[in-house]
Amino acid sequence: MLRDKRLFLLDIDGTVCIGRRLISGTKEFLTAVKDCGGQFVFITNNSTRSIDDYILSFQELGIVTDYTNFITASFATVQYLKKNFYGKLIYVMGTKSLMRELKKNKIRVTTDCMDPDIDCVLISYDNQLTYEKIQDTCQILSTRQVDYLATNMDYVCPVEFGYVPDCGAICQMLEHAVKRKPLYMGKPGTAMVECALRLNHFPKEKALIVGDRLYTDILCGNRAGVDTALVLTGEATRADADQCEYGPDYIFQSIEELYSQWAK
């Protein structure tokens, strides 16, 4: 039952925030979760920010968080690279923040497409994207036998005025040119959910994934065997959910309605 949930695995963009604006009810809900002995963990596919960036961002919004409250697609990507590409050179088309996160974790990175030692290409959502970056990436993927990864498959990222293309859309654009698809690291893969359950010592029955996308958040929960709640403040609509074969267990207009139903 909804009121028995204690571990809330929350998407960020479109679920608790729109751009830099906090969605109504979020702060009250997170406070109530902690007050009842529960925990909230943000599992986000957004790889433009490090966990340090997120902690500062939420602090500015009046919400106190620490490292235990975040598992990001960047984190999942770092773990995969450490396991499979230790000591190898990764070409990155992404933000400076992602580059810092990778370097912090002792992963060798480059933005020089002519480096002969490149073993893997990594794509992320890039709000500093240029056509030169696109061309350089296409050159590597078209002329070399290298592995190809992407942090997340989201097609759009919500902002104050609507949406902008996200990592999945960038990869689709590249696919038309290079005829290759990447291996995606974030949701709907289950690595972040499994990590959150393991670190917080809650059974699946006590967990709830909350998000605004069907093909990432809700599908992730479906694959992980964790209940899901769709909020209608982001990408998906109720009509989308009704037509989806892996529909959510709950649908709420917003995090505020979820809070009111859970707190009953």
Side-chain angles (χ1 to χ4, degrees):
M1 295 178 63
L2 180 63
R3 66 171 175 264
D4 295 327
K5 302 300 183 184
R6 289 297 179 269
L7 176 61
F8 293 88
L9 308 179
L10 302 159
D11 179 53
I12 297 178
D13 301 302
T15 300
V16 300
C17 292
I18 300 291
R20 299 284 180 172
R21 176 177 63 83
L22 200 64
I23 292 175
S24 178
T26 297
K27 187 175 182 180
E28 295 79 3
F29 173 61
L30 298 180
T31 299
V33 169
K34 299 295 285 187
D35 287 346
C36 78
Q39 174 67 305
F40 61 87
V41 179
F42 295 110
I43 55 170
T44 175
N45 273 354
N46 190 332
S47 57
T48 63
R49 301 188 199 177
S50 67
I51 292 177
D52 287 330
D53 293 332
Y54 273 120
I55 290 172
L56 179 59
S57 178
F58 275 98
Q59 181 180 330
E60 292 170 350
L61 294 170
I63 296 174
V64 177
T65 59
D66 58 34
Y67 276 87
T68 65
N69 296 117
F70 298 93
I71 299 176
T72 68
S74 297
F75 176 85
T77 301
V78 164
Q79 301 311 306
Y80 185 88
L81 290 173
K82 282 183 174 180
K83 180 179 179 180
N84 296 280
F85 292 92
Y86 181 77
K88 296 183 178 180
L89 187 64
I90 314 299
Y91 174 86
V92 181
M93 190 174 88
T95 61
K96 293 178 181 178
S97 178
L98 176 62
M99 293 287 285
R100 287 194 300 269
E101 189 84 354
L102 295 171
K103 290 177 181 178
K104 180 180 176 181
N105 284 276
K106 311 301 182 185
I107 293 169
R108 295 177 60 217
V109 296
T110 184
T111 56
D112 180 5
C113 70
M114 302 307 292
D115 195 308
D117 295 326
I118 294 169
D119 286 289
C120 179
V121 168
L122 173 64
I123 309 296
S124 77
Y125 170 67
D126 189 354
N127 55 10
Q128 297 151 356
L129 187 61
T130 65
Y131 203 83
E132 182 180 6
K133 287 185 181 181
I134 296 169
Q135 182 171 305
D136 288 349
T137 303
C138 287
Q139 181 174 341
I140 299 170
L141 292 173
S142 297
T143 61
R144 305 194 204 182
Q145 294 298 315
V146 295
D147 287 286
Y148 180 24
L149 307 177
T151 54
N152 60 290
M153 68 177 298
D154 303 57
Y155 298 129
V156 295
C157 180
V159 293
E160 286 84 351
F161 60 79
Y163 298 96
V164 295
D166 207 327
C167 181
I170 294 171
C171 291
Q172 282 196 338
M173 173 180 63
L174 293 172
E175 183 184 346
H176 287 289
V178 303
K179 311 304 180 188
R180 293 188 63 182
K181 294 182 180 181
L183 173 64
Y184 291 103
M185 295 289 103
K187 298 174 289 186
T190 60
M192 288 191 284
V193 173
E194 292 162 0
C195 183
L197 291 168
R198 183 173 65 254
L199 292 175
N200 290 282
H201 310 292
F202 284 96
K204 289 183 179 182
E205 295 74 20
K206 293 288 187 179
L208 183 71
I209 294 175
V210 185
D212 68 300
R213 286 184 173 93
L214 292 163
Y215 60 91
T216 55
D217 305 313
I218 305 307
L219 181 55
C220 174
N222 181 272
R223 290 177 173 177
V226 174
D227 285 352
T228 58
L230 179 72
V231 289
L232 303 178
T233 45
E235 183 175 336
T237 66
R238 188 176 293 271
D240 293 332
D242 291 340
Q243 297 169 11
C244 183
E245 61 180 313
Y246 47 84
D249 297 286
Y250 306 93
I251 300 178
F252 300 104
Q253 284 298 127
S254 67
I255 201 82
E256 190 169 34
E257 185 184 1
L258 186 161
Y259 172 40
S260 66
Q261 294 296 316
W262 172 71
K264 280 185 176 179

